[in-house]
């Protein structure tokens, strides 16, 4: 079963949260509500999120201050933030949003289809990153389990079989990531999304090199830990 990604919706107005849920329900992911910046920060302490939709105008801790706290935490600093605002004070206001760490800044009323499409890009990138981490974890477990009483031939055959399986799984993720990057470039999507996809491809390249290094006769397994 593929685990669903979590999307954090932050807005002090219940009707706005309800509208966001209606728009994003078609993505079939887990939508988590937060009615304030403080509540959002509390949710981020325990759960991992693919993307955050953050209202700018909130009483108490506003969106800019909430984003600043998110970006200061090592656990959450890389989560994409999409700012939503009902007002537009011009370029300076927009610049403040990007300076706070947002990947996008959308003024209300917004096009539901456009918002859903933007969120889906970051959800897909998050899922690819999760697949990559799973492959790396599986590889590490296998390496740690080597040499536990198996004869040389049996261990070699098992290792070769696992490497082949890992290589096939990685190839599937590489193919999907390449297709996603091409789609982003062709559609002229936000530069932040393109950069995130490129970062994912670099991680995939690192893991591919590590797997190649494990092939018989190509070197020791010591290079793997430096790639993960």
């Amino acid at each position: 079963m593929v685990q669903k990604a979590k999307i954090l919706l932050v807005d002090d107005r219940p009707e706005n949260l309800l509208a966001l849920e209606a728009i994003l329900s078609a993505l079939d992911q887990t939508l988590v509500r937060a009615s304030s910046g403080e509540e959002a920060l509390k949710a981020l302490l325990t759960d991992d999120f693919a993307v955050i939709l953050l209202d700018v105008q909130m009483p108490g801790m506003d969106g800019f201050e909430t984003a600043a706290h998110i970006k200061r935490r090592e656990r959450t600093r890389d989560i994409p933030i999409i700012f939503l605002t009902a007002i537009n004070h011009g370029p300076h206001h927009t610049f403040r949003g990007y300076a706070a760490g947002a990947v996008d800044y959308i003024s209300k009323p917004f096009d539901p289809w456009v918002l859903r499409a933007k969120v889906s890009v970051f959800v897909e990138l998050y899922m690819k990153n999760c697949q990559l981490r799973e492959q790396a974890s599986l590889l590490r477990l296998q390496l740690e389990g080597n040499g536990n009483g198996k004869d040389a031939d049996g261990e070699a055959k098992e290792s070769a079989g696992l490497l082949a399986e890992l290589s096939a799984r990685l190839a599937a993720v590489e193919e999907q990531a390449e297709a996603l990057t091409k789609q982003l470039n062709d559609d002229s999507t936000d530069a932040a999304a393109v950069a995130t996809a490129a970062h994912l491809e670099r991680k995939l390249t690192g893991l591919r090199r590590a797997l190649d290094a494990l092939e018989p006769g190509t070197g020791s397994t010591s290079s793997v830990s430096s790639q993960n």
Side-chain angles (χ1 to χ4, degrees):
M1 181 180 296
V2 178
Q3 187 174 0
K4 294 183 179 182
K6 292 184 178 180
I7 302 170
L8 183 59
L9 313 177
V10 189
D11 199 304
D12 63 299
R13 301 176 69 89
E15 62 271 24
N16 290 342
L17 290 171
L18 186 63
L20 287 174
E21 288 174 338
I23 292 169
L24 300 176
S25 61
L27 298 180
D28 193 29
Q29 304 300 326
T30 302
L31 306 177
V32 178
R33 283 189 176 200
S35 59
S36 67
E38 292 84 355
E39 190 175 333
L41 294 176
K42 184 176 179 180
L44 288 162
L45 288 174
T46 55
D47 289 326
D48 294 324
F49 291 90
V51 60
I52 302 169
L53 274 64
L54 181 57
D55 183 40
V56 172
Q57 300 297 118
M58 295 187 295
M61 184 185 296
D62 67 12
F64 295 131
E65 187 178 354
T66 303
H69 282 288
I70 292 171
K71 293 303 178 182
R72 280 199 293 265
R73 293 178 178 176
E74 184 177 355
R75 174 187 172 92
T76 58
R77 65 178 54 164
D78 294 326
I79 302 177
I81 298 174
I82 298 177
F83 272 132
L84 304 176
T85 179
I87 60 174
N88 188 350
H89 292 307
H92 176 73
H93 202 254
T94 303
F95 174 78
R96 187 182 176 192
Y98 287 118
V103 298
D104 211 338
Y105 191 97
I106 302 177
S107 297
K108 303 174 185 177
F110 46 78
D111 186 326
W113 187 92
V114 170
L115 179 63
R116 187 163 53 243
K118 289 177 180 291
V119 171
S120 69
V121 167
F122 291 108
V123 167
E124 192 166 355
L125 289 172
Y126 173 81
M127 300 300 284
K128 296 294 184 296
N129 267 307
C130 288
Q131 291 178 10
L132 177 59
R133 287 195 296 268
E134 288 173 2
Q135 305 307 323
S137 177
L138 181 60
L139 177 59
R140 283 194 297 269
L141 287 174
Q142 173 61 21
L143 293 176
E144 292 169 0
N146 280 346
N148 290 333
K150 296 185 180 68
D151 60 73
D153 288 341
E155 184 177 311
K157 288 179 181 179
E158 183 175 340
S159 296
L162 181 68
L163 285 174
E165 181 183 353
L166 283 171
S167 181
R169 291 186 182 184
L170 179 58
V173 178
E174 287 172 330
E175 183 178 353
Q176 294 172 352
E178 182 179 355
L180 177 60
T181 300
K182 184 178 184 301
Q183 178 184 346
L184 292 174
N185 289 327
D186 290 345
D187 294 344
S188 298
T189 312
D190 300 303
V194 174
T196 304
H199 178 65
L200 173 61
E201 288 202 329
R202 287 194 295 272
K203 285 188 175 181
L204 289 171
T205 299
L207 185 55
R208 172 58 68 187
R209 288 174 180 166
L211 280 176
D212 291 343
L214 290 174
E215 293 294 334
T218 60
S220 70
T221 61
S222 60
S223 63
V224 174
S225 60
S226 65
Q227 296 287 347
N228 296 305

